[in-house]
Amino acid sequence: MRVLTMNVQHDQGDPRRTALINAEVRRTAPDVATFQEVCHPGTQLAELTAGTGLIHCTQQHELIGPVGVDHGTVIATRWPHRVVDVVEHRGDPHWWTVAVAIEVPDRGEQLFIVPTTPWRPEHEDARLQQAHELTALDARHHKTLPTIVAGDFNAAPDSPTMTYLFRYYDDAWSKTTDAPGYTWTVDNPVAAAEILHLLGETDHRHPPDRSHPHQKHLAKRPLRSPGRTHLRRQFLGVHFLEVQS
């Protein structure tokens, strides 16, 4: 199974971005995907998934009420899936997590959990709370096949949130590379202004080859861990994961 998580950053920047993302998704052919910050209402989701085989889609607005933005998280799969649970925290900050069961051909159902975490650096306590809710959700709905967790975690690998999650899940990134795994950079003009606004400084430069929205990051070898879960951390960008349970 090939899994993709990507923050498409709605329709900001060059108007050709959505078509470029679609071309790369078609080329790499994920079986399961989660896209963050997809415009709604509008045609962006249809444009992102056209010709990809990701024909089963669940959008954020179908699951939770309005949160004051015109974009949200999407789950898109090659095979049918059903929503089994939604956990939401209304307030400041807002966060929510969705779990779906995917009908994997000849294998049975596989749980796919997607958290949409609060993004501000000072919201680490809320992200950690959400991580605890995520593992509880997994315990309630766990299937025979390994659970897959993917999304926009907004957390560094040594943060309390990720440290907690690594107790329960295998990190797909660290299984395949020693690179730091950052996916946003001020070298990307679409991201630069927002990064500088958030961090208030100019020295947070990460490798340019891991920054651009339509670049790929493909795990070079499949992961084998029959009894555990595969998790991918994400800072904002593109990640691909190949899973063999």
Side-chain angles (χ1 to χ4, degrees), residues 28-50:
T28 52
D31 302 301
V32 177
T34 173
F35 301 106
Q36 299 89 47
E37 297 191 22
V38 178
C39 291
H40 176 80
T43 61
Q44 188 176 32
L45 177 58
E47 294 169 12
L48 286 169
T49 58

Side-chain angles (χ1 to χ4, degrees), residues 67-142:
V67 293
V69 294
D70 59 357
H71 53 76
T73 298
V74 170
I75 293 176
T77 58
R78 189 173 303 279
W79 311 299
H81 68 257
R82 61 185 179 87
V83 176
V84 297
D85 209 341
V86 175
V87 178
E88 182 184 15
H89 177 263
R90 285 276 171 170
D92 185 18
H94 174 264
W95 57 260
W96 73 290
T97 304
V98 58
V100 302
I102 303 168
E103 298 177 18
V104 182
D106 303 319
R107 301 298 301 277
E109 287 193 328
Q110 188 154 23
L111 192 65
F112 184 46
I113 301 178
V114 177
T116 300
T117 67
W119 55 270
R120 292 187 178 277
E122 64 268 25
H123 287 159
E124 179 60 24
D125 287 347
R127 286 188 289 272
L128 182 57
Q129 178 188 353
Q130 184 173 8
H132 281 267
E133 294 285 355
L134 186 156
T135 55
L137 187 157
D138 188 5
R140 290 196 299 273
H141 301 285
H142 193 75

Side-chain angles (χ1 to χ4, degrees), residues 127-164:
R127 286 188 289 272
L128 182 57
Q129 178 188 353
Q130 184 173 8
H132 281 267
E133 294 285 355
L134 186 156
T135 55
L137 187 157
D138 188 5
R140 290 196 299 273
H141 301 285
H142 193 75
K143 308 298 181 183
T144 302
L145 294 175
T147 297
I148 300 173
V149 181
D152 196 345
F153 291 93
N154 293 301
D158 59 352
S159 67
T161 296
M162 302 312 297
T163 299
Y164 171 78

